[in-house]
Amino acid sequence: MSTLPKGGWILKHLVIIRFNYPETNKYYDLRHRILREICLGSLEKQTNKNFEILIASNETFQGYKTIPLGDDVGRLGINKDTIRSFVAEHYPERPLITTRIDYDDAALPTYIDTIQRHVAGDGDYVIDVHSYTANIGTGSFFAHYRKNHLGSMFLSLVEQGEEIKTALYFLHFRISQHYPIRKSKAPHCIYFIHPISFYGSRYLKDPRYNRGHERIPDECKPYVEKWNEIVREIEK
């Protein structure tokens, strides 16, 4: 079922997840579990099912389409042209919503619906919804804001013209400078600060991530508990 915004045009919505870790990675099995149980698990519970998931990876995932990366793999990201060319070839529909979600974060059940309702209202917008951060190392939760940075690590872009403008999360700065941003007050996603033994300690020592505590919605709790369960296995 398609969403029909003002003006009569029909939305096509892609959710793009990057998973580019080799099997030799020390935490490969745990990363796989995080992808399945936290990220994909949260997307399967969306109230609005009008979207398609693409996983940018050299692996195949049963039940999901993949964007093959070839040799275009790196620790911090993949060349955005790999995704741009794939989307341009296989998804010519316009307008097109493309949403990026990190493999190790979770979307609340209303996330997709919130994006599409915003787009249906006014059209060409980058959607940035209010997120919560869960600090797995300390067990604290707080609103996630940083100076000169979008409030969320999740990002959606409405592509109207012929040129594909899909960008990955590490280009947030560039996108925020070129497109108007609309925010939603309600929390819709959870950005997890990773445990020391998994990614390093710099986040847990940064005071910017230890203020602005707020109440966490009940919908967040299952994902926080799942993350803590995985963390306990990492720390064994």
Side-chain angles (χ1 to χ4, degrees):
M1 182 176 180
S2 297
T3 302
L4 191 63
K6 294 178 181 179
W9 39 272
I10 296 176
L11 293 178
K12 178 74 174 180
H13 192 170
L14 304 179
V15 175
I16 301 171
I17 304 166
R18 181 197 64 194
F19 189 85
N20 56 341
Y21 296 99
E23 292 186 23
T24 54
N25 183 274
K26 180 179 179 181
Y27 296 114
Y28 174 82
D29 291 340
L30 290 169
R31 293 182 193 275
H32 234 288
R33 184 178 168 190
I34 290 168
L35 169 67
R36 296 192 310 270
E37 298 184 17
I38 292 179
C39 183
L40 294 175
S42 70
L43 291 173
E44 290 171 358
K45 296 179 180 178
Q46 293 297 300
T47 58
N48 184 335
K49 307 293 185 182
N50 180 37
F51 65 98
E52 181 177 341
I53 296 173
L54 297 176
I55 302 178
S57 177
N58 283 329
E59 299 183 40
T60 57
F61 296 84
Q62 186 174 0
Y64 300 98
K65 289 185 179 180
T66 57
I67 301 176
L69 301 180
D71 296 328
D72 188 15
V73 176
R75 178 178 176 274
L76 293 178
I78 54 179
N79 188 320
K80 62 182 183 300
D81 290 337
T82 301
I83 288 181
R84 289 177 64 175
S85 59
F86 184 93
V87 172
E89 178 180 355
H90 296 278
Y91 298 91
E93 300 94 336
R94 293 294 180 275
L96 175 70
I97 308 176
T98 54
T99 294
R100 276 139 294 279
I101 296 181
D102 285 351
Y103 84 97
D104 52 1
D105 294 319
L108 271 64
T110 53
Y111 179 65
I112 295 295
D113 189 62
T114 299
I115 293 172
Q116 293 188 11
R117 282 191 291 107
H118 276 313
V119 175
D122 289 320
D124 191 11
Y125 267 91
V126 171
I127 311 301
D128 175 33
V129 297
H130 183 142
S131 67
Y132 274 94
T133 297
N135 186 326
I136 302 302
T138 64
S140 59
F141 310 95
F142 40 95
H144 180 62
Y145 294 107
R146 291 175 62 187
K147 185 178 180 181
N148 298 324
H149 194 286
L150 299 186
S152 170
M153 295 299 284
F154 293 44
L155 182 69
S156 296
L157 175 64
V158 182
E159 301 175 6
Q160 296 278 29
E162 295 297 325
E163 181 183 2
I164 303 296
K165 298 186 178 72
T166 305
L168 295 174
Y169 77 93
F170 53 82
L171 293 180
H172 273 189
F173 293 111
R174 183 177 302 173
I175 289 178
S176 66
Q177 292 171 359
H178 289 278
Y179 294 86
I181 294 175
R182 164 176 286 185
K183 291 186 177 181
S184 170
K185 292 182 180 179
H188 284 280
C189 52
I190 316 169
Y191 167 44
F192 292 99
I193 290 181
H194 314 112
I196 294 176
S197 57
F198 198 19
Y199 282 104
S201 60
R202 68 182 180 90
Y203 288 118
L204 304 184
K205 294 179 179 178
D206 190 331
R208 291 177 300 178
Y209 293 93
N210 290 286
R211 61 173 181 246
H213 291 251
E214 297 188 18
R215 184 183 68 83
I216 293 301
D218 291 339
E219 296 96 326
C220 294
K221 293 177 181 177
Y223 304 108
V224 174
E225 293 171 0
K226 182 63 66 176
W227 239 114
N228 282 322
E229 179 184 333
I230 294 172
V231 167
R232 286 191 289 270
E233 293 190 20
I234 294 171
E235 293 179 338
K236 286 181 179 178

